[in-house]
Amino acid sequence: MTTKAQSYLTHFRNIGIAAHIDAGKTTTTERILYYTGRTHNIGEVHDGAATMDWMEQERERGITITAAATTAKWKHSGSGEEYTVNIIDTPGHVDFTIEVERSMRVLDGAVAVFDSSQGVEPQSETVWRQADRYGVPRIAFSNKMDKTGASFELVLSDIRERLGAIPAPIQYPMGQESDFKGIIDIVRLQAHTYTNDLGTDIEVGEIPAQYADKVAEMRQQLIEAAAEVDEDVMMKFLEGEEPTTEELVTAIRKGTIDKKIFPVLCGSALKNKGVQLLLDAVVDYLPSPLEVPAIKGRLEDSEDTREFPADPEGKLAGLAFKIMADPYVGRLTFVRIYSGTLQSGSYVYNATKEKRERVGRLLKMHANSREEVTELKAGELGAVIGLKDAGTGNTLIGDGDERVLLESIDVPEPVIKL
Ligand code: GDP
């Protein structure tokens, strides 16, 4: 049961973008920030062009996404409802494996970006296994559809064969390589055609006849995948009936959250194609903080555990996951609040360091601005200024609350199936 106080959480998605180096994680993240910033003027930058300029400047200086967690807003193109999408930076290099693991702990879902001309590369496999161990639901983005050698089918078969997972093709590309001109939505049976080179003008219409066979094949694969995880779709499938769009979305969402199936999308981040549909899919298929298992904490000096469901009115439970030095404000401690509400100027107890600490100011980081807030609620991520002792992986709880340590991020050696 969701209480009134928790209701905002249905419109929250805390996600990471994971990829093999060079698959296009940075480009995809930038485009996401561009689209989310364009529809929502945040801070002093008031239009999309300026957001892009800012990104170009950052890029020239060799910095891309500097915040460990960036808060963005997205209006779903189907429902028109607004969602808060927190993007948690996941390091993309294999040497940062422990950092990847840390970030996995604080996200509820991930977008796995693949280079569609390469399929599933070895390092993507490593990241995939890490996400498996942390139980992170995923959607896959088959990027670089415009590149020579791009093949959506290669990505689908690699997901099946190399990752041993069930791909749910929710899209199909219209044209590949230099001829990539649009995306067919296999769930809603619509064609999205890009009518300018920038990828910003999109025409939504009927599926061109030349794709009918391919679409039928993909739809069959999709329905079979959905039927595996949903009885209603299974019944219809057995009776040769078509599920409704709503039934299909519900089934795919359930299967994705249970990590049984993995929706696969396609696009070209570089050419601005597919990114808006990707954001819609984040909302459609990845879980809200209410749909993931509650984080557990272990009582100090005991085997007893406590659960902290996402609830702003619950006891405070937060995890520091990244420390950054900021030239203006000093030490920034990035936290995810799982339960309760963290107030600026309050005292918290760092259960890992066994120390009481004072919370200074609180910030939410946006793509091109930072916003000072007075509180961070359950499900939210932000940065704390003023914590002197907190380190990555430290548990923060209410001062005077029973002492618990949140599930440790020290994990057993990875079990990588080759
Ligand atoms: P990361 O290492 O995963 O963060 O990858 P980047 O986003 O830095 O991209 C690596 C390279 O691939 C850069 O040269 C990008 O311009 C290029 N790239 C990214 N996305 C696309 C795409 O959709 N199509 C093509 N052709 N190139 C892309």
Side-chain angles (χ1 to χ4, degrees):
M1 243 281 288
T2 306
T3 66
K4 198 162 166 243
Q6 291 172 303
S7 58
Y8 67 98
L9 286 165
T10 59
H11 284 57
F12 259 62
R13 299 290 181 270
N14 292 329
I15 63 158
I17 298 171
H20 184 285
I21 185 156
D22 263 3
K25 189 185 89 168
T26 310
T27 314
T28 307
T29 310
E30 282 181 356
R31 294 300 191 254
I32 287 179
L33 294 178
Y34 169 65
Y35 281 112
T36 54
R38 196 175 67 142
T39 43
H40 300 271
N41 304 320
I42 296 161
E44 58 276 32
V45 176
H46 289 292
D47 68 8
T51 311
M52 242 8 191
D53 289 348
W54 165 81
M55 281 175 185
E56 293 305 326
Q57 284 169 19
E58 293 272 290
R59 201 193 253 288
E60 274 166 26
R61 297 209 309 266
I63 325 163
T64 42
I65 286 77
T66 45
T70 307
T71 301
K73 301 275 183 188
W74 179 246
K75 205 174 262 184
H76 187 274
S77 21
S79 69
E81 289 177 29
E82 187 172 89
Y83 286 78
T84 298
V85 181
N86 287 311
I87 301 157
I88 295 124
D89 188 36
T90 52
H93 307 268
V94 83
D95 7 336
F96 296 151
T97 298
I98 187 69
E99 293 246 331
V100 176
E101 308 233 341
R102 271 197 190 118
S103 56
M104 291 280 176
R105 193 66 213 82
V106 296
L107 43 89
D108 300 323
V111 176
V113 179
F114 298 107
D115 176 337
S116 57
S117 69
Q118 304 294 321
V120 174
E121 298 167 273
Q123 198 212 319
S124 317
E125 258 187 77
T126 311
V127 178
W128 189 271
R129 304 285 171 224
Q130 282 167 338
D132 273 344
R133 279 194 299 137
Y134 280 89
V136 178
R138 267 147 285 168
I139 59 180
F141 182 60
S142 178
N143 188 33
K144 303 199 187 183
M145 283 310 310
D146 63 300
K147 201 178 149 187
T148 308
S151 165
F152 184 65
E153 264 104 345
L154 171 70
V155 173
L156 289 183
S157 66
D158 271 8
I159 290 177
R160 199 175 287 116
E161 279 148 36
R162 302 191 64 152
L163 302 175
I166 302 176
I170 62 168
Q171 297 180 345
Y172 190 74
M174 286 193 279
Q176 303 193 141
E177 306 180 320
S178 59
D179 192 34
F180 176 53
K181 54 186 173 296
I183 294 166
I184 295 172
D185 179 337
I186 304 289
V187 177
R188 295 177 175 89
L189 293 172
Q190 289 170 335
H192 293 242
T193 311
Y194 296 96
T195 53
N196 67 348
D197 282 347
L198 287 172
T200 44
D201 288 345
I202 306 169
E203 232 167 57
V204 182
E206 283 186 16
I207 298 170
Q210 73 201 90
Y211 292 104
D213 289 350
K214 215 49 214 180
V215 168
E217 183 193 323
M218 290 295 135
R219 178 117 175 142
Q220 181 73 9
Q221 270 194 40
L222 180 64
I223 291 175
E224 279 175 24
E228 289 280 328
V229 295
D230 187 279
E231 274 181 29
D232 294 342
V233 176
M234 179 59 100
M235 289 301 283
K236 288 207 163 170
F237 174 66
L238 292 176
E239 283 158 21
E241 270 179 57
E242 276 285 301
T244 63
T245 300
E246 208 186 314
E247 284 170 334
L248 204 47
V249 171
T250 307
I252 299 166
R253 177 175 181 78
K254 195 165 77 182
T256 308
I257 295 175
D258 289 346
K259 281 94 55 192
K260 294 201 173 115
I261 58 174
F262 301 89
V264 190
L265 298 90
C266 60
S268 160
L270 190 68
K271 307 272 177 187
N272 265 327
K273 293 175 181 163
V275 180
Q276 288 139 300
L277 289 172
L278 174 62
L279 279 160
D280 282 347
V282 163
V283 164
D284 283 337
Y285 304 116
L286 291 178
S288 82
L290 296 169
E291 292 165 296
V292 293
I295 193 164
K296 286 202 187 79
R298 189 175 47 76
L299 278 186
E300 208 174 53
D301 304 322
S302 149
E303 291 300 304
D304 284 358
T305 56
R306 295 281 184 270
E307 280 196 353
F308 295 91
D311 182 354
E313 293 178 339
K315 287 209 163 146
L316 180 69
L319 195 71
F321 64 94
K322 179 107 185 168
I323 312 293
M324 282 178 135
D326 182 274
Y328 304 105
V329 294
R331 195 179 156 94
L332 286 179
T333 307
F334 282 85
V335 294
R336 168 158 182 176
I337 305 303
Y338 289 92
S339 160
T341 300
L342 180 70
Q343 307 277 356
S344 61
S346 67
Y347 279 90
V348 290
Y349 186 71
N350 180 334
T352 314
K353 296 271 169 71
E354 302 187 350
K355 269 191 173 155
R356 190 170 179 252
E357 292 204 67
R358 185 167 185 276
V359 176
R361 289 150 63 201
L362 299 174
L363 298 173
K364 274 191 199 165
M365 314 302 271
H366 301 293
N368 48 6
S369 65
R370 31 182 77 182
E371 175 193 3
E372 185 158 352
V373 293
T374 54
E375 57 181 34
L376 288 174
K377 292 189 291 186
E380 292 193 307
L381 293 102
V384 187
I385 305 173
L387 289 181
K388 290 197 186 70
D389 295 301
T392 40
N394 287 185
T395 296
L396 302 176
I397 54 171
D399 189 27
D401 284 355
E402 95 184 317
R403 309 224 158 141
V404 286
L405 277 173
L406 293 180
E407 279 170 334
S408 160
I409 47 151
D410 297 329
V411 288
E413 277 304 296
V415 187
I416 298 173
K417 275 189 286 173
L418 292 173

